[in-house]
């Protein structure tokens, strides 16, 4: 604590307890989340190339219209596309 008076400045040390960042934040989960987002964006970009999405048709519409994709895979893929901001 710093106090300013007419006589001058006085500094008083006040102990502060704190925990390391690794104890407060889940840094591993943050890093894993970043990696997952990067992979999701790469996946969506790859899908856009594979499906050759046009401006008139969204990637989600193209995935929905593609036969032979199991429903669970289709739903999860569309979820990834939406999260990554793909059209």
């Amino acid at each position: 604590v710093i106090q300013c008076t007419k006589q001058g400045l006085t500094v008083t040390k006040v102990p502060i307890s704190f925990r390391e960042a690794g104890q407060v934040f889940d840094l591993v989960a943050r890093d894993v989340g970043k990696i997952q987002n990067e992979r999701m964006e790469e996946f969506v970009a790859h899908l856009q190339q594979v499906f050759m999405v046009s401006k008139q048709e969204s990637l989600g519409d193209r995935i929905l219209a593609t036969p032979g994709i199991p429903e669970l895979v289709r739903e999860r893929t569309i979820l990834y596309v939406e999260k990554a901001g793909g059209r």
Side-chain angles (χ1 to χ4, degrees):
V1 176
I2 300 175
Q3 293 179 335
C4 182
T5 63
K6 289 183 181 180
Q7 290 78 27
L9 295 174
T10 58
V11 178
T12 307
K13 290 185 178 182
V14 178
I16 299 174
S17 62
F18 66 94
R19 296 183 299 179
E20 296 294 324
Q23 295 174 334
V24 176
F25 304 105
D26 191 348
L27 301 177
V28 173
R30 183 197 65 184
D31 292 343
V32 168
K34 282 183 182 180
I35 291 169
Q36 286 175 339
N37 283 340
E38 290 172 3
R39 287 184 179 165
M40 193 180 326
E41 289 171 5
E42 290 172 8
F43 175 66
V44 170
H46 179 71
L47 284 177
Q48 287 174 328
Q49 289 176 350
V50 168
F51 283 109
M52 298 171 60
V53 177
S54 67
K55 291 182 180 180
Q56 295 81 19
E57 186 178 34
S58 74
L59 180 55
D61 291 340
R62 195 71 180 260
I63 292 168
L64 286 171
T66 303
I69 299 176
E71 191 61 31
L72 180 62
V73 173
R74 183 187 316 271
E75 289 175 5
R76 185 160 262 182
T77 302
I78 290 173
L79 178 68
Y80 289 160
V81 168
E82 290 172 354
K83 280 187 178 180
R87 304 182 311 108

